[in-house]
Amino acid sequence: MTSTHPSPPMTPQQYGVGARLTLSVYESDYVRIIVGALDAADASGLTVKTDDVSTFVGGSESDILRFLRDTIAAAAASDAHLSASILLSRGCPGELQCELPPGVAALGADPVRLEPTGVTAGAHWSLYPLLDGGAGGDHMGAIYAAIEQARRSGVFTSSDHFATRLDGDLAEVLETVANAWIGVGRTVQHVTTHVTVSINSPTQR
């Protein structure tokens, strides 16, 4: 008799959910600020690995975004000008320890909700639905829908070269970026998004 037991749900680690964070602080005491910010964030439930280029964060979408918010906010508390380059990826192709078998459908996730930080951030954001093997796919439709959602969220500022400008509380900016990434991921297996966040800039608008 064939078993009718459903397969266990795939974990975020198996699906290849993760982030790369490069935090740059424009202050002579940058080492203390960066290391202190990484130490201050709660890494519960996450895999966090830092080298001389960036920090990898693996785990669930909500835990990853909480860690990113808290790390960047802690660094911003120094009042130093800083930027954070963040790459988010889900769907696993090319992942170092990918456990995703061929043919797995896109796997959705719950939207992220982040508590405000009181930190004002500006950002340039790009979204990439990677329609592997689907050259005829309407990737721009998903991108335009994400931009429209950013408008509704109140953080959209303008369309710039190769990016969308977002401004608002750091948590609102990260939430908008993450939920667009997660939303497209309901129908596209491999999705990445990149955002560069600037805080405490001397040339802030």
Side-chain angles (χ1 to χ4, degrees):
M1 180 180 291
T2 304
S3 172
T4 58
H5 293 297
S7 300
M10 193 169 290
T11 67
Q13 288 82 0
Q14 289 172 320
Y15 197 63
V17 178
R20 279 269 169 202
L21 166 67
T22 299
L23 185 59
S24 303
V25 177
Y26 308 107
E27 168 66 49
S28 60
D29 200 15
Y30 66 92
V31 174
R32 180 189 61 81
I33 294 170
I34 293 172
V35 172
L38 289 168
D39 288 344
D42 181 4
S44 300
L46 295 168
T47 299
V48 179
K49 297 180 180 178
T50 299
D51 60 23
D52 59 331
V53 179
S54 64
T55 294
F56 165 77
V57 188
S60 71
E61 290 84 351
S62 59
D63 287 344
I64 289 170
L65 268 296
R66 170 183 47 77
F67 180 88
L68 295 175
R69 177 202 61 192
D70 291 351
T71 299
I72 298 168
S78 69
D79 289 329
H81 177 205
L82 64 90
S83 64
S85 176
I86 302 167
L87 173 68
L88 298 170
S89 182
R90 63 194 313 275
C92 196
E95 171 59 15
L96 185 63
Q97 295 175 321
C98 181
E99 299 179 41
L100 188 62
V104 170
L107 182 67
D110 292 331
V112 169
R113 296 289 178 261
L114 298 173
E115 289 296 321
T117 62
V119 175
T120 300
H124 278 144
W125 164 51
S126 301
L127 177 66
Y128 307 101
L130 301 173
L131 300 169
D132 303 312
D138 178 21
H139 68 286
M140 287 307 300
I143 293 171
Y144 289 140
I147 293 172
E148 185 55 36
Q149 179 56 43
R151 291 180 189 273
R152 291 194 294 269
S153 73
V155 298
F156 174 91
T157 300
S158 63
S159 294
D160 289 345
H161 295 292
F162 315 124
T164 297
R165 171 84 190 210
L166 306 176
D167 288 275
D169 187 278
L170 171 64
E172 294 176 321
V173 169
L174 293 178
E175 189 176 291
T176 297
V177 168
N179 288 336
W181 170 62
I182 291 168
V184 173
R186 294 192 184 100
T187 55
V188 179
Q189 179 183 295
H190 190 200
V191 184
T192 65
T193 191
H194 181 263
V195 60
T196 300
V197 179
S198 178
I199 296 173
N200 298 330
S201 171
T203 58
Q204 229 167 17
R205 297 182 185 185

